[in-house]
Amino acid sequence: MSIECTVFKGTSGNYFVRELGGTETYCVKLRGTLKKDLEYSTSLSHARRVTRARKRRATDPVSVGDTVIIDPKTLQIEEVLPRRSEFARTTPGGHEQHVLVANLDTVFVTVAAANPYPNFWLLDRFLVAAESAELNAQIIINKVDLAEDIAATRKEAAVYERIGYPVHFTAARSGQGVDELMAALKGKISAFAGPSGVGKSSLLNAIEPGLRLKTGEVSEVTHLGRHTTTTAELIPLKYDVDTWVADTPGLRQVEFWEIESQNIEFCFPEFKEFFGQCQFSNCTHQTEPGCAIREASRTGQIDKRRYDSFIQMMTPEPAF
């Protein structure tokens, strides 16, 4: 009898799965013949965003969050069910896709208010990656207890709140904002994403005492976090049986996956009300006369720093 399961961890060709609606877990392998058949399209699904679709090879045919059918006798994965979403990045060189987590409901993009310094330019890139994957995104600003100028951080965060992104202010050490964050996680399959050292693992430890996820310190020289999470893992939270959180490897830089430059504008929600108002139908919103988005940035209808972030992403080699 086959069993439908969720993959919550994978390492060295072994996959740890849990029965849907139950607590039974198994360590299984992928059936050999199935490896040849699994290749996922990484193109965007909405025609309005896609100008050219491609296929690229995945680094691993099964990812954390996948729903699979297993044979409990042979301990093999017989089938990988279609994904409803995936959060991925490119491998070095950009030739392969590495799916961090599949079937996500929400990505909680995390930055620190201090130690390391908040990098809102990098936050924008994570949000664009989430938008391109058509994932709901929320923002966590952690370590607010360490901020020297929390008012300035809140002012920067208000830009995202006006756009429509919920923002959570937390401090893992003191527990500030943890209860509110737990409420936002409840009933969802979520992932924490963001650069190393911002406290993603520490927040999960605060949410679920007893997890004891490994955490690391921030370098006093580079002011960057050291990587402590090496593989993605889907963690079932005990306070609600339908709540899972993925602790993903810390990323210091996000590479676009299957986003053509002409599609980046669709990943900035605040641009949408100005679509169709530019003088030229093929406007890139950079130097063309009569650009509605550039004018909105000049008049403050679109935040100037966010617009500058968009311009950087439009260049072949972003400046951050």
Side-chain angles (χ1 to χ4, degrees):
M1 181 181 68
S2 298
I3 301 175
E4 193 168 341
C5 300
T6 298
V7 178
F8 64 86
K9 188 176 182 179
T11 177
S12 302
N14 296 305
Y15 302 96
F16 297 87
V17 303
R18 191 179 80 173
E19 182 180 4
L20 289 183
T23 58
E24 192 73 26
T25 62
Y26 304 87
C27 178
V28 298
K29 290 183 176 293
L30 185 64
R31 179 167 54 84
T33 55
L34 193 60
K35 295 179 183 179
K36 301 177 182 179
D37 301 328
L38 291 176
E39 185 176 19
Y40 298 98
S41 172
T42 59
S43 63
L44 299 171
S45 62
H46 286 329
R48 66 182 177 81
R49 294 185 180 177
V50 177
T51 57
R52 185 171 62 210
R54 308 179 207 159
K55 259 193 171 184
R56 292 186 185 176
R57 185 163 57 88
T59 58
D60 194 334
V62 179
S63 298
V64 165
D66 272 327
T67 302
V68 298
I69 305 296
I70 72 162
D71 184 332
K73 293 182 179 180
T74 64
L75 294 179
Q76 288 188 327
I77 296 175
E78 299 294 321
E79 183 181 358
V80 181
L81 299 184
R83 294 169 178 166
R84 67 175 183 271
S85 67
E86 59 184 26
F87 193 52
R89 67 179 175 93
T90 56
T91 58
H95 301 299
E96 293 182 324
Q97 174 193 22
H98 176 52
V99 177
L100 297 174
V101 190
N103 297 321
L104 279 174
D105 294 309
T106 306
V107 173
F108 288 83
V109 184
T110 310
V111 297
N115 194 32
Y117 304 122
N119 187 336
F120 292 103
W121 302 89
L122 186 56
L123 171 60
D124 289 339
R125 291 181 67 84
F126 275 102
L127 291 175
V128 165
E131 291 283 346
S132 71
E134 299 181 4
L135 294 172
N136 292 321
Q138 299 189 30
I139 297 169
I140 300 173
I141 299 181
N142 193 31
K143 302 186 181 182
V144 295
D145 53 335
L146 302 180
E148 295 181 358
D149 188 355
I150 190 60
T153 302
R154 288 185 177 274
K155 182 178 180 180
E156 190 76 43
V159 171
Y160 296 94
E161 292 175 315
R162 288 194 295 271
I163 296 169
Y165 291 113
V167 179
H168 306 272
F169 296 91
T170 63
R173 292 193 303 180
S174 67
Q176 179 180 342
V178 170
D179 288 343
E180 292 82 356
L181 183 57
M182 289 172 65
L185 292 167
K186 188 173 182 180
K188 299 182 178 71
I189 297 178
S190 306
F192 281 21
S196 298
V198 298
K200 300 186 298 296
S201 296
S202 295
L203 274 174
L204 284 175
N205 287 335
I207 290 169
E208 188 76 73
L211 281 179
R212 298 178 181 175
L213 297 176
K214 186 178 180 182
T215 61
E217 299 298 324
V218 174
S219 168
E220 294 182 1
V221 177
T222 64
H223 299 288
L224 296 174
R226 298 184 179 93
H227 293 266
T228 56
T229 303
T230 57
T231 58
E233 180 177 357
L234 201 60
I235 302 168
L237 300 186
K238 295 178 181 178
Y239 75 91
D240 183 85
V241 294
D242 295 321
T243 300
W244 297 76
V245 175
D247 190 23
T248 66
L251 303 178
R252 292 179 183 170
Q253 183 175 357
V254 180
E255 298 293 343
F256 289 130
W257 181 251
E258 282 301 323
I259 309 176
E260 301 293 338
S261 61
Q262 57 265 48
N263 292 322
I264 294 175
E265 63 182 284
F266 296 105
C267 299
F268 280 75
E270 64 269 44
F271 287 9
K272 294 178 182 178
E273 66 175 288
F274 301 100
F275 289 162
Q277 298 182 29
C278 296
Q279 182 176 340
F280 300 101
S281 60
N282 61 345
C283 184
T284 66
H285 317 303
Q286 296 181 77
T287 59
E288 298 90 341
C291 173
I293 288 175
R294 192 150 54 94
E295 177 64 15
S297 171
R298 189 187 68 79
T299 60
Q301 294 172 278
I302 291 175
D303 180 72
K304 178 63 164 57
R305 193 205 57 76
R306 281 274 293 176
Y307 172 76
D308 290 342
S309 185
F310 162 75
I311 294 299
Q312 287 191 349
M313 293 183 203
M314 291 288 286
T315 63
E317 296 182 0
F320 56 92

